[in-house]
Amino acid sequence: MKTKLLIMLLVLLGTVATAEAKFVQEVELSDGTVLEGYIYKQIPGKKIVFQSSRAKKDPSGKYSSHNKEYTLQWNDVKVIRRSSESSPSWCLDKVTLKNGTVYKGQITEQRLGSTMTLLRDDTHKTVEIKYSDLLKMEKVVEDMDKDLWLDRQYTNRLRLNDNTVREGLIVLQYNGATTDDSYLELLRSSGRRERIYRLDIKEYIIFLR
């Protein structure tokens, strides 16, 4: 289950605010708190670090500070969603299910442990996808003037269990039959893709461009 949760969290981890485009995430916690900002770092199954610009809802009064990083426990995160104020991403999310069905569009929401919502590019309608049905997700560009690497809005940094670091852009996430078979592909600046198995990854970090 942790592998499936990680896959979904990375979808929305993937795009953040830049000078040219604006992406705002909302994180809803189990106590009803709603924070606005973006996910900066995650340690799978343990915690995420959220860079908050403001608290839209704050029942406990713990999140009143603006522009502050909050460390959130993994199990306390209920929903992650894309704000309606966000600019469109430079690429599409291509989702392939285990039954062969393929959707393209933008992931707009995920409910950890159950489903994600994708806004389809062809029909402009949403479809709900169960984590258990997911085979793989890819980042793709269909505009000939766009390039996955050159037009990226961020760079991923992966810290592995041996403390080595890989930098690039996560362009594919594959959900294998077991955690041993689950991996991602990192697009490097050279254009080469590197396969990295999830069990080897200790920490994910996002750097804005």
Side-chain angles (χ1 to χ4, degrees), residues 80-162:
I80 301 171
R81 63 175 65 93
R82 181 190 297 261
S83 170
S84 59
E85 299 179 359
S86 298
S87 301
S89 174
W90 87 105
C91 64
L92 295 178
D93 299 311
K94 180 181 177 182
V95 177
T96 303
L97 306 186
K98 293 176 182 177
N99 65 7
T101 301
V102 176
Y103 296 109
K104 289 182 183 179
Q106 297 291 323
I107 304 299
T108 59
E109 182 176 287
Q110 55 177 309
R111 291 188 170 271
L112 299 187
S114 57
T115 62
M116 70 175 182
T117 301
L118 180 140
L119 178 62
R120 294 180 59 174
D121 188 57
D122 53 354
T123 64
H124 304 291
K125 295 181 179 180
T126 59
V127 58
E128 189 172 85
I129 299 170
K130 295 180 180 179
Y131 292 168
S132 58
D133 293 336
L134 178 68
L135 179 65
K136 64 179 179 179
M137 294 185 299
E138 303 168 77
K139 292 191 179 299
V140 297
V141 290
E142 297 186 337
D143 185 340
M144 297 298 293
D145 293 328
K146 293 289 185 179
D147 182 276
L148 274 177
W149 177 258
L150 296 178
D151 294 308
R152 72 193 189 283
Q153 297 172 338
Y154 62 92
T155 301
N156 295 110
R157 172 178 287 181
L158 307 179
R159 188 178 303 279
L160 306 187
N161 291 326
D162 62 4

Side-chain angles (χ1 to χ4, degrees), residues 32-48:
T33 298
V34 178
L35 300 178
E36 192 172 77
Y38 68 92
I39 297 171
Y40 164 67
K41 181 190 298 186
Q42 64 164 301
I43 299 177
K46 295 182 179 180
K47 63 184 179 181
I48 68 172

Side-chain angles (χ1 to χ4, degrees), residues 1-8 174-176 178-179 182 198-199:
M1 180 59 70
K2 287 183 178 179
T3 297
K4 295 177 182 178
L5 292 182
L6 174 60
I7 289 174
M8 303 320 306
Y174 179 80
N175 186 23
T178 68
T179 53
S182 299
R198 294 188 182 282
L199 288 178

